[in-house]
Amino acid sequence: MTENVYEQPILVLGGTGKTGRRVVNRLTALGRSVRVGSRSGEPRFDWTDQSTWAGVLEGVGSVYLVYYPDLAAPDAPATIRAFVEQAVAGGVERIILLSGRGEEAAQLCEQVVQRSGAEWTILRASWFSQNFSEDFLVDSVRGDEIVLPAGDVGEPFVDADDIAEIAVAALTEAGHVGQLYELTGPRLLTFAEATAEIAKAVGRPITYQSVSPQEYAEVMARYQVPAELVAVLTDLFGKVLDGRNAHLTDGVRRALGRRPRDFADYARDAVATDVWATGQPDRG
Ligand SMILES: NC(=O)c1ccc[n+]([C@@H]2O[C@H](COP(=O)([O-])OP(=O)(O)OC[C@H]3O[C@@H](n4cnc5c(N)ncnc54)[C@H](OP(=O)(O)O)[C@@H]3O)[C@@H](O)[C@H]2O)c1
């Protein structure tokens, strides 16, 4: 590693998404030179179009690597391997990978990064709290009914702000190299309990209904989610919501030296943005 890694631009893939946007904001506030890697970035970056990779990697010293749609997608390990090889050959010295907890497929992607020759940090995260306010569940909350194939399993929802703070520390400090942080929030909540926290914060009743993975796949198909993605998500939900992740870890404390943010604090702050106000237009 050269000290140069701290001077060169940082590439933030998924830089408009839930964690990436927060990483970009924090790095910018620190005065760091940041490049957003996404289809709407300049230059444009698309995981499905290898001809767009060289442009975003030009002159970059480190990368926050967020894959899309999910590390559980069948082509993720090969695509990430090709990207990482190109990045390291072009001079990238440090890679921070956003990974998923309890996913064997994601662990293959972790190994690709760990064996890349670059300095690495793995952020192996549980379900983001922000899935309820900045992703596919926001319309459900606005419509006062959350439907998921989650039964009554406990999930230790983690806050995207905690993930971003750790990513920035790993990108800008030496002490996180070679660390695998398993990241959870401070308590287990069933999806019914998470729904109740949101209902309490927003001040109106919201119901939670558990359905089978098959029923959920049918709902997604009705909403025109592409069949390939339905298959990936159905498989993923079946695995990560089977109880394997229903325990807490100390990753946030190990990385930041403090307690993770609680779901109730997340819900209170999300209400303040009006994202769940009824009458908001659908995201689609
Ligand atoms: N959500 C969770 O609870 C969770 C938990 C653990 C791990 N993860 C992992 O986090 C990663 C991100 O998932 P997410 O759902 O949270 O999404 P996200 O980061 O909130 O949003 C997706 C980002 O990827 C970009 N993007 C979309 N399609 C792209 C493409 N073809 N090429 C390049 N960039 C593209 C989007 O920007 P543009 O639209 O501008 O391209 C956006 O910046 C996944 O690998 C997932 O496995 C998620």
Side-chain angles (χ1 to χ4, degrees):
M1 204 272 297
T2 63
E3 277 307 306
N4 217 8
V5 74
Y6 296 120
E7 309 298 328
Q8 289 171 297
I10 298 171
L11 172 62
V12 179
L13 299 183
T16 56
K18 292 185 291 299
T19 64
R21 184 168 54 79
R22 291 171 163 84
V23 171
V24 168
N25 290 344
R26 284 171 182 271
L27 289 171
T28 306
L30 290 174
R32 298 301 307 266
S33 166
V34 186
R35 186 172 300 153
V36 172
S38 89
R39 294 165 305 170
S40 51
E42 184 53 54
R44 179 173 167 275
F45 171 79
D46 190 336
W47 278 111
T48 66
D49 178 1
Q50 202 159 345
S51 72
T52 64
W53 297 1
V56 288
L57 283 168
E58 180 73 41
V60 158
S62 47
V63 178
Y64 177 56
L65 199 165
V66 175
Y67 185 73
Y68 195 84
D70 199 282
L71 294 178
D75 47 359
T79 308
I80 289 174
R81 177 173 290 111
F83 178 81
V84 161
E85 280 173 3
Q86 187 171 334
V88 172
V92 165
E93 297 184 41
R94 185 175 293 183
I95 301 174
I96 315 303
L97 175 70
L98 176 63
S99 182
R101 203 165 165 244
E103 299 175 37
E104 286 135 35
Q107 284 164 27
L108 292 178
C109 302
E110 293 175 4
Q111 286 163 18
V112 168
V113 172
Q114 288 167 320
R115 293 169 186 165
S116 65
E119 296 180 336
W120 56 265
T121 307
I122 308 290
L123 312 185
R124 191 188 278 173
S126 54
W127 261 66
F128 304 165
S129 304
Q130 279 77 5
N131 288 338
F132 291 99
S133 49
E134 300 175 23
D135 208 320
F136 67 109
L137 292 172
V138 68
D139 292 335
S140 308
V141 177
R142 288 176 188 160
D144 297 338
E145 186 185 31
I146 293 172
V147 178
L148 277 173
D152 58 2
V153 72
E155 175 65 27
F157 297 96
V158 66
D159 197 296
D161 272 312
D162 283 346
I163 298 171
E165 190 172 338
I166 297 168
V168 169
L171 286 162
T172 58
E173 300 165 11
H176 305 277
V177 172
Q179 295 291 329
L180 191 160
Y181 293 122
E182 194 160 336
L183 303 175
T184 73
R187 59 185 170 127
L188 282 177
L189 291 169
T190 65
F191 281 77
E193 287 168 340
T195 302
E197 290 278 4
I198 294 171
K200 187 171 142 201
V202 84
R204 60 175 197 266
I206 303 174
T207 60
Y208 164 69
Q209 189 193 349
S210 178
V211 293
S212 70
Q214 184 53 36
E215 286 170 313
Y216 193 66
E218 286 162 18
V219 172
M220 281 193 280
R222 240 181 284 138
Y223 281 93
Q224 258 107 64
V225 179
E228 259 175 44
L229 190 53
V230 171
V232 169
L233 292 178
T234 308
D235 184 56
L236 179 68
F237 288 167
K239 287 180 177 150
V240 300
L241 298 174
D242 69 357
R244 72 182 69 188
N245 288 340
H247 59 276
L248 305 177
T249 62
D250 66 351
V252 172
R253 183 170 292 283
R254 270 206 302 129
L256 299 177
R258 64 158 173 81
R259 192 173 190 265
R261 259 186 116 221
D262 191 77
F263 192 86
D265 296 327
Y266 150 74
R268 183 203 58 223
D269 289 353
V271 166
T273 68
D274 266 351
V275 68
W276 291 322
T278 49
Q280 289 278 354
D282 278 3
R283 294 166 64 250

